[in-house]
Amino acid sequence: MPALEARNLTKHYGSRAAVQDVSFRVEAGQTLVLLGPSGCGKTTLLRMLNRLVEPDTGVVLVNGHDARSQPPELLRRGMGYVIQQVGLLPHYTVAENVAVVPQLLGHAPAAVAARTEELLRRLHLPPEQFAHQYPNQLSGGQQQRVGLARALAADPPIILLDEPFGALDPITRASIRREFRELPELRRKTMVLVTHDVTEAFELADQILLLDAGRVQQLGPPRELLLRPANNFVRRFFGADQLALQLRVLRLADILCELPDNEYFQPSSISYSVNNPLPSTASIHDTLEKLSHIPAPASGEPTVWVQVSKSTARPLTYPTLMTAFGRAIRRLREGP
Amino acid sequence: MTILTELFAFWQAQADKLGQQTLQHIGLTAASLLAGVVVGVPLGLLLTRRPRLAPWVLGGAGVLQTIPSIALLGFLIPVLGIGPGPAIVALFLYSLLPIVRNTLAGVQGVDAAVVDAARGLGLTDGQVLRRVELPLALPVLLAGIRTAAVINVGVATLAAYVAAGGLGEFIFGGIALNNPAMILAGAIPAAALALLFDGALAGLQHLRGRRLMWAGRALLLALPLLAGLYLLPRAASKLLAGFSPEFVGRSDGLPGLRQLYGLDPASVVLAPALVYEAVRSGDVDLIDGYSTDGRIRAYDLQVLRDDRHAFPPYQAVPVVRRQALEAHPELAPALARLAGQLSDSVMTELNYRVDIRHETPRAVAHDFLRRRGLWHAPQPATGATIRLGSKIFGEQYILAEMYAALIKGYTNLQVEAKTGLGGTSICADALRTGAIDLYPEYTGTGLLVVLQPSAAVLDSLGPDPAAVLAYVRREYRRRYNLEWLAPLGFNNTYALLMRRQQAEQLSIRTVSELSAYLR
């Protein structure tokens, strides 16, 4: 049973359709990214999941139960909610903001305090320094961390995020996104995240739902959207970032079969990195990164090694890697 | 400097009254503000939930705001009578617009993201309102209450016109008597109160966070307490008198009665135009009025005979600038046609037609002239302009119309009417400065309000109408170069009036009997 399911959701504002007949399922622990240009209906779609917007038709199922079977407030207390503008209560301290939902749920004050402290610490906001500050004393990145702590405070199984990093400068955004990805709290969570940032979507998504004008253009794993676009819109949407995304999406395993046989036993392929080979799940992007850090040897190309089986590793240089990558893309595009 | 000395002397002499009026003033302001908050804040909150109603409600409150305060009181009197009722309701209506508008603006000004996040976290509508919207809107809301408070302290001075007390009693008394010290005696404390309310609420408004919430609650508690000041017991008395501000201050009004009869009834102050209604409806039992007023007949009132002659004779006489008489010799004969034509009963009848039957003063005046054979069709107006003044009540309007018709009928002078001048001092000043050329005045008024002779002179004149007329004529000529012509015939003196039924019940026919009854 999916943790969260939408069936045929439709929402009109006046005569304009904001969301039309959208269905999806998110399995427990998975992340679904709602992606699309501004005004495509992705925020409306997200807000229908916690009933901040009521759909005209269609249903939302949470763990198989109709979301309308309980009052919206109770539904929302079971879902974390993070928005771009953060929306911290300006007259509450950081600690009070984080404690809002556990208090609504009637948790014991001592437990609430302990949980708040733990979360602030984990999000790099030492409670002794930050707990009693007011939101206007914090930087944008710190505020967004508090917003995240607030959403996680009552440990809800589902988290909804609406452009959570959208208001941050690129450097803060990248660092918070990394923290976010690595937060153990979030590993077990079912998440739905709205963004218009393609890179962000590919970094965080198990599944991407690409929307345009309220309609689903394609729903699937990032790699499928990239390599097998369902229509011209999908193709154009990723067009500008095509190469960068392909480098991230493709793994070494995808290109190994494209390597020429004779390269197995090249004499120049002996390198110190053989002691530390890359796993075949590493992305092409990461492999290129690694190559760029290897100093060029006296003769021949810089080389990295990739583990192909328990006992074998293969050497890769820029030319072999890029040739194999190009062939793999052609093969994957053409399909089976 | 002399005005300051007078002011402090006045405060010293009237310390009791000053204290009482100040408390009443605070009470009126607080009571109306409380009502404004209790109604306005929920109304404003309703508008945040139903924004489509906002233009209608705000428009309605805005229209209320534009009604002149004195007119608003006038509208409320038929419904609520006189006393605190109409005053508090009027002040309440004035406080609505700032409070409703600022509640709405305050809540709408709360960052939408904060409200959205609060909802998204699972706060109920009520929790969003109490924990998020109201606390964050409070500074703006308090600014609205502050505006309303300052408006209300100002408008509350008008409460004195409807017998609701407050610092307006001094102010309107002072205006009626042209006594700047008395005006200041009320105006300065009123201004101080406005500054005090403004400062206190400004202080609250700048608090932050929790303290602001506490301040809001404290304000809600403080308003009923302050409003309670208004309910402090007033002096009890067998009869309640309602006097116009001028009567209370004039030496031939209440002070004269007090001196001669020892009469000192519990009294409220209200607008001259309202005293008759107030006694008819039973809001008060005793009023000051004029012996020729048409409402005496219409409302079945009893004139208490002035058996010890506290009120001097008040013969109606046209007072004219000598320059006008000399420049236009034809003017005096035209005016003289009305001399001796109007007896007390005739004048009461004419007043009755205007005040009660609502005929126009012009129609009544022309009708009278025709019946007396004094009417003459207007001649082509080619000459200079005569400016005709009158005070602000029916009898004076009728007389002004008669003179206008006579001047137009028997001379070729033009007439410009400047009727409805506030009171005796204003008319007298207008005549002295040449803003008007003539107006009908009463001998007693000229004597006591304008000339203000010493007690010895007053004693020598006594209650003799001819002696009084001779004295004012001589003194006006000497001091102001103004001429009193021949009397019109009637004597419109001050009078104390009661409902006939009550007067008969208590067997009160004279002021002496009234004084004895009250003792």
Side-chain angles (χ1 to χ4, degrees):
Chain A
M1 183 176 55
L4 195 58
E5 182 177 356
R7 282 190 195 155
N8 310 102
L9 291 178
T10 297
K11 180 72 189 177
H12 284 84
Y13 289 114
S15 59
R16 194 179 67 85
V19 171
Q20 281 195 71
D21 197 27
V22 173
S23 301
F24 60 78
R25 301 164 146 227
V26 194
E27 301 299 330
Q30 297 269 297
T31 298
L32 172 72
V33 171
L34 307 181
L35 181 66
S38 301
C40 71
K42 52 193 191 295
T43 291
T44 305
L45 182 55
L46 184 82
R47 291 164 68 86
M48 283 195 271
L49 300 180
N50 66 358
R51 295 182 61 190
L52 284 171
V53 172
E54 295 286 357
D56 296 337
T57 57
V59 285
V60 173
L61 299 173
V62 181
N63 291 318
H65 300 292
D66 191 331
R68 287 167 302 189
S69 61
Q70 55 178 333
E73 296 83 31
L74 299 187
L75 175 77
R76 290 172 200 152
R77 287 171 201 175
M79 294 182 171
Y81 184 55
V82 182
I83 58 175
Q84 176 178 353
Q85 310 89 330
V86 193
L88 296 180
L89 306 184
H91 54 310
Y92 281 28
T93 63
V94 165
E96 286 165 343
N97 264 291
V98 174
V100 166
V101 182
Q103 262 170 5
L104 287 176
L105 291 169
H107 292 181
V112 175
R115 173 72 175 153
T116 303
E117 198 162 311
E118 175 199 352
L119 270 173
L120 288 180
R121 217 175 284 289
R122 200 168 293 169
L123 284 157
H124 310 295
L125 297 164
E128 50 282 2
Q129 186 190 343
F130 288 98
H132 300 292
Q133 297 208 336
Y134 282 90
N136 62 6
Q137 297 170 286
L138 306 181
S139 72
Q142 288 166 339
Q143 288 187 20
Q144 194 51 277
R145 286 198 192 101
V146 177
L148 200 56
R150 181 171 68 173
L152 292 170
D155 203 13
I158 298 173
I159 311 243
L160 308 180
L161 307 107
D162 189 354
E163 308 243 13
F165 316 114
L168 306 175
D169 63 88
I171 294 171
T172 316
R173 182 196 300 199
S175 81
I176 290 203
R177 204 154 69 198
R178 192 166 49 245
E179 282 171 26
F180 177 81
R181 228 172 21 185
E182 287 160 7
L183 204 63
E185 291 279 341
L186 291 172
R187 293 271 159 78
R188 305 170 279 116
K189 304 285 183 201
T190 308
M191 290 193 281
V192 180
L193 182 142
V194 164
T195 186
H196 62 263
D197 181 331
V198 174
T199 319
E200 188 168 294
F202 274 72
E203 207 169 297
L204 300 173
D206 294 307
Q207 300 266 320
I208 290 178
L209 192 157
L210 182 62
L211 276 172
D212 182 47
R215 289 184 182 280
V216 179
Q217 301 300 317
Q218 195 167 1
L219 170 61
R223 166 192 183 97
E224 203 174 302
L225 268 70
L226 188 64
L227 298 173
R228 297 184 206 286
N231 58 32
N232 268 332
F233 175 82
V234 182
R235 194 168 296 122
R236 275 206 316 272
F237 195 79
F238 298 119
D241 305 308
Q242 188 95 8
L243 181 61
L245 294 174
Q246 286 168 349
L247 290 172
R248 277 179 194 281
V249 159
L250 259 63
R251 313 278 145 194
L252 288 176
D254 295 315
I255 65 159
L256 284 178
C257 58
E258 307 292 346
L259 292 175
D261 288 344
N262 59 352
E263 295 208 9
Y264 262 92
F265 307 107
Q266 257 191 7
S268 66
S269 57
I270 300 150
S271 155
Y272 59 89
S273 71
V274 76
N275 297 322
N276 189 16
L278 286 166
S280 61
T281 54
S283 70
I284 311 299
H285 179 269
D286 293 345
T287 311
L288 285 170
E289 190 99 317
K290 185 119 188 174
L291 271 171
S292 71
H293 287 106
I294 292 174
S299 68
E301 298 278 341
T303 307
V304 292
W305 288 77
V306 55
Q307 191 95 43
V308 267
S309 69
K310 255 195 184 139
S311 53
T312 23
R314 291 196 54 172
L316 282 174
T317 59
Y318 278 118
T320 52
L321 180 64
M322 293 321 291
T323 313
F325 170 71
R327 285 188 191 142
I329 290 291
R330 199 172 312 132
R331 169 173 53 85
L332 290 167
R333 271 209 188 130
E334 280 159 9
Chain B
M1 281 325 284
T2 53
I3 199 164
L4 279 185
T5 326
E6 276 175 53
L7 176 63
F8 287 115
F10 186 88
W11 270 337
Q12 207 158 23
Q14 308 271 356
D16 285 359
K17 259 190 153 177
L18 178 67
Q20 191 199 1
Q21 290 181 10
T22 308
L23 291 185
Q24 283 176 341
H25 209 92
I26 297 173
L28 278 174
T29 308
S32 54
L33 264 190
L34 180 66
V37 171
V38 166
V39 175
V41 172
L43 194 57
L45 292 178
L46 175 75
L47 295 188
T48 64
R49 302 299 190 254
R50 305 249 185 294
R52 228 176 273 180
L53 295 177
W56 297 99
V57 173
L58 290 179
V63 167
L64 283 176
Q65 203 81 12
T66 61
I67 300 177
S69 27
I70 201 91
L72 185 57
L73 284 172
F75 287 133
L76 291 171
I77 286 162
V79 189
L80 297 167
I82 62 159
I88 290 177
V89 170
L91 292 176
F92 154 71
L93 292 176
Y94 281 124
S95 68
L96 269 186
L97 181 66
I99 293 179
V100 173
R101 194 170 48 193
N102 279 43
T103 305
L104 180 63
V107 172
Q108 283 178 340
V110 175
D111 187 354
V114 172
V115 175
D116 184 52
R119 257 180 231 295
L121 292 173
L123 272 72
T124 61
D125 276 354
Q127 287 166 333
V128 169
L129 187 65
R130 280 196 310 280
R131 291 196 186 187
V132 182
E133 288 177 319
L134 267 183
L136 293 177
L138 209 51
V140 179
L141 202 158
L142 278 176
I145 296 178
R146 182 177 158 198
T147 309
V150 175
I151 292 176
N152 280 7
V153 171
V155 180
T157 52
L158 291 174
Y161 265 166
V162 293
L167 290 161
E169 287 190 6
F170 283 157
I171 297 176
F172 292 117
I175 292 173
L177 297 167
N178 197 15
N179 179 345
M182 192 168 170
I183 299 177
L184 286 179
I188 290 175
L193 273 186
L195 290 176
L196 195 74
F197 271 87
D198 192 47
L201 286 165
L204 292 191
Q205 203 185 328
H206 291 118
L207 294 176
R208 285 272 158 265
R210 296 266 136 71
R211 260 186 250 163
L212 183 65
M213 284 303 276
W214 284 113
R217 280 179 209 142
L219 182 67
L220 270 185
L221 271 180
L223 283 180
L225 291 178
L226 289 176
L229 291 178
Y230 193 76
L231 303 174
L232 287 178
R234 298 190 184 197
S237 163
K238 293 177 192 166
L239 294 177
L240 181 65
F243 293 139
S244 55
E246 185 168 355
F247 184 77
V248 173
R250 267 172 77 148
S251 58
D252 60 338
L254 193 56
L257 289 177
R258 203 175 281 148
Q259 213 178 358
L260 200 58
Y261 292 95
L263 187 73
D264 200 5
S267 64
V268 293
V269 174
L270 70 168
L274 297 175
V275 288
Y276 289 92
E277 276 299 328
V279 72
R280 178 165 85 144
S281 63
D283 287 324
V284 298
D285 306 304
L286 177 70
I287 60 166
D288 65 289
Y290 296 97
S291 54
T292 55
D293 197 289
R295 286 169 292 191
I296 294 172
R297 186 184 138 180
Y299 296 171
D300 197 19
L301 303 179
Q302 168 88 50
V303 179
L304 303 189
R305 195 157 54 76
D306 177 19
D307 49 336
R308 291 162 88 171
H309 303 291
F311 302 134
Y314 283 83
Q315 287 178 289
V317 179
V319 186
V320 196
R321 288 170 64 79
R322 281 185 76 90
Q323 290 96 316
L325 290 174
E326 282 159 10
H328 315 292
E330 70 274 31
L331 183 60
L335 298 176
R337 287 174 187 272
L338 207 56
Q341 292 284 354
L342 293 152
S343 68
D344 280 12
S345 58
V346 168
M347 197 64 233
T348 306
E349 168 69 23
L350 298 180
N351 285 337
Y352 171 73
R353 286 173 61 182
V354 169
D355 292 335
I356 312 303
R357 305 243 310 265
H358 301 296
E359 295 179 46
T360 64
R362 175 166 299 178
V364 171
H366 291 187
D367 183 47
F368 169 81
L369 293 178
R370 284 203 178 88
R371 274 195 288 145
R372 285 293 165 103
L374 296 171
W375 175 256
H376 193 287
Q379 299 190 10
T382 54
T385 300
I386 298 297
R387 277 153 303 176
L388 202 55
S390 88
K391 299 187 200 177
I392 192 161
F393 54 92
E395 181 171 289
Q396 290 261 323
Y397 286 126
I398 299 172
L399 295 177
E401 288 293 349
M402 287 182 185
Y403 283 127
L406 289 174
I407 294 170
K408 285 182 196 161
Y410 293 98
T411 75
N412 55 9
L413 296 169
Q414 303 182 48
V415 176
E416 185 189 342
K418 292 203 171 175
T419 51
L421 301 174
T424 299
S425 335
I426 296 172
C427 281
D429 282 344
L431 195 60
R432 264 182 297 198
T433 58
I436 57 174
D437 294 311
L438 77 131
Y439 80 98
E441 184 54 282
Y442 307 90
T443 50
T445 310
L447 177 70
L448 291 163
V449 179
V450 181
L451 297 176
Q452 300 181 352
S454 67
V457 173
L458 282 181
D459 279 350
S460 74
L461 294 174
D464 177 12
V468 171
L469 177 59
Y471 179 81
V472 294
R473 187 172 277 157
R474 191 172 68 240
E475 286 300 310
Y476 261 64
R477 227 176 250 164
R478 187 172 69 79
R479 294 195 207 174
Y480 311 126
N481 208 19
L482 298 175
E483 193 62 38
W484 289 67
L485 304 182
L488 294 171
F490 67 92
N491 185 28
N492 182 1
T493 183
Y494 259 137
L496 284 184
L497 307 170
M498 292 177 70
R499 287 184 298 282
R500 182 182 299 282
Q501 204 186 1
Q502 191 184 30
E504 279 168 5
Q505 221 168 30
L506 301 173
S507 330
I508 296 174
R509 286 179 306 273
T510 66
V511 181
S512 295
E513 283 167 0
L514 173 70
S515 175
Y517 171 76
L518 287 176
R519 213 166 273 136

